[in-house]
Amino acid sequence: DVCSSDLPTGAISGTYIDDGHADGYVRHTDGVFSYFLLEGALPETINAGERTAGYVLDADGDAFVAYDSGAVIAFAPQGPSGTSTASTEAIDDKANVAGYYFDSGATAHGFLRKKSGVIVSFDAPGAGTGGRSGTYVYGLTPKGDMAGYILDGAGAYHGFLRAKDKTFTAID
C-alpha cells in the first residue's frame, strides 16, 4: 500500500471465526478492540483514523468499509450486489477507499469509493480483458493518487500511478 511515514502506527486488523463464519476486528493503538459483525468480513487495511476496509466472503462478493463510529457499509463497486466480486485494498484518512472488482467476464476494474458513497470505476491504459486480466488497485495516498498494476492481454504485469487528476503514469 502507498502510505505516509508520518501516520500513526500500531493498529491491527484481522478476522476471527465465530459460529462458523469469519468476522472482522481492529485492535486500536490503545488496546481496545472494535468488532465488525459483517458475516465473512476480511479486513485488508487500516489508516490513521483506524478505519478499516476489505472484502466479504459471501455469495454477493461485496467490498466494505468500517468507520470509527462502528458503522459498517457493504457495497458493490459496479452494479447490484452479487454481480461481481470486489476487494477493497486501500483507505485514506478521509475514509475514501480504493480497490478492484471483477465483472461478469472476469475482467478486473479499478475503483475509488468516496466517503459520500460515490463510486468511480476506471481501467488503466493497456489493461487486458477477460481471464482475470485488467486493472488492480492496491494503494491510495492522502492526496488521492492511486497505485496498482495491470495485467495486459499477453499476461504481462505493468505498474501504474493514477493521479487525482485522472492521469496515468506507467511504472515498468
Side-chain angles (χ1 to χ4, degrees):
D1 292 332
V2 177
C3 60
S4 174
S5 61
D6 60 349
L7 294 178
T9 60
I12 301 167
S13 66
T15 58
Y16 65 99
I17 304 299
D18 181 36
D19 293 329
H21 60 82
D23 290 317
Y25 70 87
V26 171
R27 181 188 180 278
H28 301 275
T29 54
D30 63 4
V32 174
F33 283 82
S34 294
Y35 299 95
F36 305 102
L37 304 178
L38 181 61
E39 187 171 331
L42 293 175
E44 285 287 319
T45 99
I46 55 177
N47 76 339
E50 297 188 5
R51 297 170 188 94
T52 189
Y55 58 94
V56 182
L57 285 179
D58 64 8
D60 294 334
D62 293 336
F64 77 90
V65 61
Y67 297 99
D68 300 20
S69 66
V72 180
I73 299 171
F75 64 93
Q78 185 68 21
S81 184
T83 60
S84 65
T85 301
S87 184
T88 304
E89 299 291 337
I91 185 168
D92 69 12
D93 60 351
K94 298 176 189 86
N96 300 310
V97 295
Y100 60 91
Y101 68 93
F102 293 102
D103 65 21
S104 60
T107 298
H109 305 275
F111 74 86
L112 171 67
R113 181 188 186 274
K114 298 179 181 180
K115 184 179 179 181
S116 66
V118 173
I119 298 171
V120 177
S121 178
F122 64 91
D123 296 310
T129 58
R132 301 255 183 222
S133 60
T135 302
Y136 294 82
V137 177
Y138 282 94
L140 177 62
T141 70
K143 293 179 181 180
D145 301 328
M146 289 178 271
Y149 67 87
I150 66 162
L151 179 57
D152 68 20
Y157 293 89
H158 308 277
F160 70 84
L161 177 65
R162 180 183 187 261
K164 185 177 182 177
D165 69 3
K166 302 177 186 171
T167 59
F168 285 87
T169 301
I171 305 169
D172 279 322

